[in-house]
């Protein structure tokens, strides 16, 4: 009896080791087609995690930062956060009769998005303030969660959180399996992302960096609350991204991932550090399965970044060539 | 031969388990005297980590936030960061002949600290801007590290990083051993703390929240840098602490630790959440081994917080009674 118990332990240990070896030899990026992009990722991760490699990087320094819109999920025909803001405007309209005469609200209520967004960044900021401020952080978080549970994308009819990129989910998991800490550093709203990034990307709220409005601590009777104010606190885009990385993380990433000129400074900041560095641009080249856009797009423009990526030898993902599937729902097909 | 190999594995496994059991039964807080404070800590940690307890808290929600000055290290006769600023003023004085006529610099150069700080918060902010801005983040970090390596406290003649509280180091380690994520949320400068908190407290830069000046991303030739500007970005004190917790962490802590009225809102915010919560004030009662101060102190005043702690039953650490030693160097004595 005792003998058999010992044998079972030994067998168990052997099976455990076999399992580890098998896991390592499996393809960590099954939705990536073989090619330069996939090779460059695996080569970098292998180099920085191999203890006797000259490029070995200690675990605490394995920081990887990801843009969100257009890098981890889609961003067409407009940023998904704007769909949320527009639905909120329609919901709040009965309490704001003045919006019928006031842009950008009037055009939104008429369903004319082109006219609504003609005011550019100012119009977008007005929309964000009108829909994101004036409530507690917990109320806002609940609204985002409730909206995501039912809202559908107008073209794909998918839920917005089902329009995340399967190959990027695999990349996030692969990096974390190699002891990277994965962060989002997005121009999108920090309070809009945090309610769902842990469930969808495996990225907890404290590893989400984004744009924000100012907030204020208040006592309501005996209950403390934090309330959003209609004033921009920080715009986490372009030069703002390295500034935010320094402010929130306080370390320079060794790998950064983006898809637009808004990510260029983050990639520059990342690759200017000492030791092995990795920068990757997702290039939207797939008009059939997703969208094809770069130098001339108003949303997610990739122009200067495309030149710099080629010049500096950063990894360029050709979505059409490099990705076997786009969305998780296509995995079963 | 094979039999003996199996026996060795079994013995090894048994020893391993014995080791784990022993580690758990050892006192996790050896520098804390037995008493209410120590009991309340262990009771809370046991409750939130016992899987079948009604108070069990999932690991990702185990966030603990600590003030720094007066909570993790000493703060008398003035904040240690001010000693750094003053040494920098003296170092920079030859390049600033105008400081001989200008307060607070003139008084500092004459060695009259009382006059220098008579200007209150404004004078302190001027000092911080003059010594923390106008250089890259990496240059500033190197200055802090170089200063800490040689600077000594005027009363104890200890290095400043040797004036951390041994009982609090044990508390940090105890929480982390129970899968808490430990954060600093301090009124002190984020850039002043991050260069050394990992080594001294085991708290990595990305878990340090503090006050900050504005920064700017710049290209110097081909090299991107982040430069400090002489403008306050965020004051992480009082109402600012819950605001910063929301901004940086995006979750409400389940436990918070402070020593002054500047921490009161953080403790209120923490304890107002649902489920088990823990709030602790370090009360400086030990004039012989450290300093004794509370309601009338300009640095680290504990007045409203002391009343609220008693009223709400928060844990009050009586430094003189509850701590067997103060600094790590006293451990061997």
């Amino acid at each position: 009896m005792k003998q058999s118990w010992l044998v079972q332990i030994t067998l168990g240990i052997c099976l455990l080791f076999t399992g580890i070896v098998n896991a390592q030899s499996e393809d960590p990026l099954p939705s990536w087609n073989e090619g330069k992009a996939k090779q460059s990722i695996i080569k970098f991760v292998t180099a920085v995690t191999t203890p006797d490699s000259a490029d070995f990087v200690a675990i605490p320094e394995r920081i990887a930062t990801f843009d969100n819109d257009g890098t981890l999920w889609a961003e067409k025909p407009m940023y998904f956060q704007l769909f949320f803001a527009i639905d909120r405007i329609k919901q709040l309209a009965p309490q704001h009769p003045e919006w019928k005469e006031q842009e950008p609200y009037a055009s939104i209520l008429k369903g004319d998005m082109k006219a609504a967004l003609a005011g550019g960044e100012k119009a977008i900021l007005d929309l964000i303030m009108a829909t994101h401020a004036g409530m507690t952080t917990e109320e806002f978080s609940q609204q985002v969660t409730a909206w995501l549970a039912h809202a559908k994308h107008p073209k794909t009819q998918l839920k917005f959180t089902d329009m995340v990129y399967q190959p990027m989910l695999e990349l996030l998991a692969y990096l974390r399996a190699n002891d990277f800490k994965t962060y989002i550093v997005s121009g999108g709203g920090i309070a809009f992302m945090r309610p769902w990034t842990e469930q969808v990307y495996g990225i907890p709220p404290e590893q989400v960096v984004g744009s924000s409005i100012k907030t204020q601590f208040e006592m309501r009777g005996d209950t403390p609350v934090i309330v959003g104010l209609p004033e921009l606190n920080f715009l986490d885009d372009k030069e703002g991204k390295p500034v935010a990385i320094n402010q929130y993380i306080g370390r320079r990433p060794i790998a950064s991932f983006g898809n637009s000129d808004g990510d260029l400074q983050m990639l520059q900041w990342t690759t200017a550090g000492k030791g092995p560095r990795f920068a990757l641009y997702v290039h939207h080249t797939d008009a059939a399965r997703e969208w094809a856009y770069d130098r001339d797009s108003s949303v997610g423009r990739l122009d200067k970044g495309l030149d710099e990526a080629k010049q500096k030898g950063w990894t360029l993902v050709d979505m059409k060539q490099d990705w076997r599937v786009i969305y998780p729902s296509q995995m079963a097909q």
Side-chain angles (χ1 to χ4, degrees), chain A residues 225-239:
Chain A
V225 292
I226 297 176
V227 180
L229 304 177
E231 190 185 341
L232 186 68
N233 179 54
F234 187 77
L235 186 61
D236 187 27
D237 197 30
K238 299 189 176 74
E239 288 83 0

Side-chain angles (χ1 to χ4, degrees), chain A residues 36-305:
Chain A
K36 269 193 204 173
K38 181 173 179 171
Q39 277 166 18
S40 72
I41 294 167
I42 292 174
K43 191 180 161 196
F44 172 76
V45 172
T46 305
V48 299
T49 57
T50 302
D52 51 1
S53 152
D55 286 338
F56 180 75
V57 174
I59 289 175
E61 297 293 340
R62 292 184 203 160
I63 303 283
T65 48
F66 288 80
D67 170 56
N68 185 40
D69 297 305
T71 300
L72 295 180
W73 74 354
E75 60 182 352
K76 290 282 182 177
M78 60 182 179
Y79 297 129
F80 293 176
Q81 191 174 355
L82 275 179
F83 285 107
F84 167 77
I86 286 162
D87 284 353
R88 284 292 295 162
I89 293 289
K90 291 175 183 165
Q91 222 175 352
L92 294 169
Q95 297 149 249
H96 293 272
E98 76 279 12
W99 282 354
K100 281 183 190 156
E101 311 294 330
Q102 197 182 334
E103 289 300 343
Y105 315 104
S107 295
I108 287 175
L109 296 175
K110 286 179 210 143
D112 184 351
M113 280 314 301
K114 204 177 161 187
L117 299 180
E121 207 167 271
K122 167 82 173 63
I124 292 177
L125 273 177
D126 282 351
L127 283 182
I128 297 294
M129 295 311 160
T131 54
H132 289 52
M135 68 200 95
T136 71
T137 48
E138 295 190 345
E139 286 162 356
F140 181 73
S141 174
Q142 284 159 11
Q143 284 175 12
V144 171
T145 304
W147 179 78
L148 284 171
H150 71 78
K152 297 273 171 72
H153 187 277
K155 184 180 165 193
T156 65
Q157 294 302 318
L158 290 170
K159 282 186 190 172
F160 290 101
T161 49
D162 289 339
M163 291 180 70
V164 298
Y165 301 134
Q166 174 64 27
M168 297 304 281
L169 296 182
E170 293 169 8
L171 176 53
L172 287 168
Y174 175 50
L175 290 172
R176 288 193 294 259
N178 282 282
D179 296 315
F180 278 74
K181 216 170 190 173
T182 53
Y183 281 82
I184 289 174
V185 178
S186 167
I190 196 167
F192 178 75
M193 295 184 284
R194 281 174 165 168
W196 52 272
T197 53
E198 186 155 29
Q199 201 189 333
V200 174
Y201 299 135
I203 297 180
E206 61 268 29
Q207 285 161 229
V208 176
V209 178
S211 298
S212 54
I213 55 174
K214 285 196 189 298
T215 58
Q216 181 174 289
F217 178 85
E218 290 176 16
M219 293 300 294
R220 293 190 175 168
D222 282 343
T223 307
V225 292
I226 297 176
V227 180
L229 304 177
E231 190 185 341
L232 186 68
N233 179 54
F234 187 77
L235 186 61
D236 187 27
D237 197 30
K238 299 189 176 74
E239 288 83 0
K241 290 205 174 191
V243 165
I245 287 170
N246 178 63
Q247 183 180 326
Y248 280 79
I249 310 177
R251 302 191 205 251
R252 196 192 296 240
I254 64 165
S256 281
F257 304 82
N259 79 300
S260 79
D261 284 356
D263 305 311
L264 180 55
Q265 288 81 0
M266 174 167 78
L267 271 55
Q268 289 170 335
W269 177 243
T270 298
T271 53
K274 284 175 198 155
R277 302 282 152 167
F278 189 80
L280 179 151
Y281 262 131
V282 173
H283 189 189
H284 292 263
T285 52
D286 196 328
R289 296 186 302 171
E290 206 240 6
W291 285 269
Y293 58 97
D294 48 34
R295 296 186 194 273
D296 300 321
S297 179
S298 63
V299 172
R301 176 186 313 234
L302 179 62
D303 181 29
K304 287 183 194 170

